[in-house]
DNA sequence: GCAACCAGTTGCAAATTGCAATTAGATGGA
DNA sequence: TCCATCTAATTGCAATTTGCAACTGGTTGC
């Protein structure tokens, strides 16, 4: 798949690549939820993506070299989806997107704690996170997918999220 | 106009607001090109937006409180479009989007010089720019639109762009 | 052997997009 | 006054994209 290239403007080109309602949400789930299989992305999606849309987006993101698709050695028709280096470098942009959304849109407390931590951590945390992501998506995508290799930053973000959600559920 | 709110995730919500091929391109032209009238946005668009799409996006962005529409005192059916504070606070996010696009997509030299300067300037430049934008969009939108009030940062960015473009045209 | 699980695909209706033509009012100059 | 031009759109129409539900062909675990 190729982009249209309506112009050579970096903002325009980025919107040609990521400017739809689903692509960045799928990347977010792979990146922050470490969802590496089709079923995980489909069934555990907060937004309820449809299977045909997910399939189309994954195929498109593979062809744009933002994710890779790898055979899962433990299961013949399972695939492992992993982020590529360009997608990992989206971290600072995604941090800013989360920061803006948190300030100006009706977010929920549990789903915005990770954006808050990422914003407060600043470039130092983003770099740590990007290095972790390289380990579980590029260096060892299989180990990253089955949990034998983990990201310390991701563990912290996930724990914070689970704590906030547990606290919210206790209160109602 | 309301957003759908598929979930309370800040990334999802931001994509619900800005996740289409045109909204951020229109905001970019208002912000960096200081295009404040419908005709300027339509005719001087690098990407060739269609008039119905532009009209729909402007209406949607007004209803989302990202831009305001004001009567132009010099012409009864001319309108002045201005950024609101939430849109001005998109500057850091747009800087990151431009930085990523410049690194990973087939940008042209002239249209990416502003993204480069904005990235190199860092948060200090972004804050200066945001203060300038407040002056020409919120404090005095009419003066900002007719050029009697100007943004120093925008003048620098625009001059850099014009210089690169002039240099490119000389070479071919 | 069989139920559950896997990654999708297919069919179809609805919504959105993009292009070209058109509109109604405002303005400027002869 | 007349008329060309400018303004911010709107309309009609074809093509594309989206979203939902059902289905497929194969694999795995018991």
């Amino acid at each position: 798949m190729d982009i249209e290239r309506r112009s050579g403007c970096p903002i325009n080109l980025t919107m040609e690549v990521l400017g739809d309602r689903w692509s960045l949400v799928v990347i977010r789930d792979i990146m922050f939820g470490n969802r590496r299989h089709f079923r995980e992305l489909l069934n555990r999606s907060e937004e309820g993506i449809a299977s045909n849309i997910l399939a189309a987006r994954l195929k498109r993101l593979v062809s744009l070299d933002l994710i890779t698709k790898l055979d899962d050695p433990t299961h013949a028709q399972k695939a492992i989806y992993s982020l590529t280096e360009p997608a990992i470098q989206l971290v600072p942009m995604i941090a800013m997107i989360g920061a803006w959304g948190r300030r100006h849109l009706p977010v929920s407390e549990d789903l915005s704690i990770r954006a808050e931590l990422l914003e407060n951590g600043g470039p130092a945390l983003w770099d740590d996170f990007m290095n972790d992501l390289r380990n579980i998506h590029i260096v060892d995508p299989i180990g990253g997918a089955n949990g034998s290799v983990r990201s310390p930053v991701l563990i912290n973000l996930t724990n914070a999220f689970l704590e906030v959600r547990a606290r919210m559920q206790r209160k109602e």
Side-chain angles (χ1 to χ4, degrees), chain A:
Chain A
M1 174 135 2
D2 255 359
I3 57 178
E4 211 177 314
R5 204 161 188 282
R6 304 181 295 195
S7 84
C9 165
I11 294 166
N12 167 63
L13 289 169
T14 303
M15 291 320 282
E16 287 192 38
V17 169
L18 299 172
D20 70 88
R21 304 175 96 58
W22 289 112
S23 294
L24 203 63
V25 167
V26 170
I27 290 173
R28 174 206 66 188
D29 281 350
I30 300 176
M31 184 179 279
F32 293 93
N34 200 38
R35 290 183 204 149
R36 308 291 288 274
H37 302 293
F38 189 93
R39 276 299 134 175
E40 288 178 327
L41 288 162
L42 184 68
N43 295 334
R44 301 177 52 205
S45 159
E46 284 285 336
E47 291 83 14
I49 192 170
S51 62
N52 59 339
I53 307 284
L54 176 59
R57 284 303 174 284
L58 288 171
K59 190 174 284 187
R60 182 168 180 273
L61 291 172
V62 166
S63 81
L64 289 169
D65 195 36
L66 286 169
I67 62 179
T68 57
K69 184 180 175 176
L70 186 72
D71 286 340
D72 187 327
T74 71
H75 191 302
Q77 88 254 57
K78 234 166 158 173
I80 297 173
Y81 294 97
S82 305
L83 301 175
T84 63
E85 179 63 28
I88 290 171
Q89 290 186 21
L90 285 169
V91 164
M93 190 192 99
I94 292 176
M96 290 300 197
I97 290 176
W100 187 84
R102 210 163 64 77
R103 255 182 209 93
H104 299 286
L105 299 173
V107 298
S108 57
E109 198 189 345
D110 51 351
L111 293 175
S112 57
I113 178 68
R114 285 174 288 198
E116 184 180 350
L117 293 174
L118 210 62
E119 183 183 0
N120 293 341
L125 179 63
W126 307 342
D127 284 342
D128 286 349
F129 187 38
M130 285 162 64
N131 275 323
D132 283 8
L133 289 174
R134 289 182 188 103
N135 286 330
I136 63 178
H137 287 269
I138 297 174
V139 177
D140 188 355
I142 295 173
N146 69 26
S148 68
V149 183
R150 290 194 193 81
S151 153
V153 175
L154 201 46
I155 290 172
N156 285 342
L157 293 175
T158 305
N159 286 342
F161 162 64
L162 293 173
E163 276 166 33
V164 172
R165 202 167 63 169
R167 177 155 47 75
M168 282 172 71
Q169 284 175 344
R170 248 178 280 128
K171 281 188 179 165
E172 41 190 294

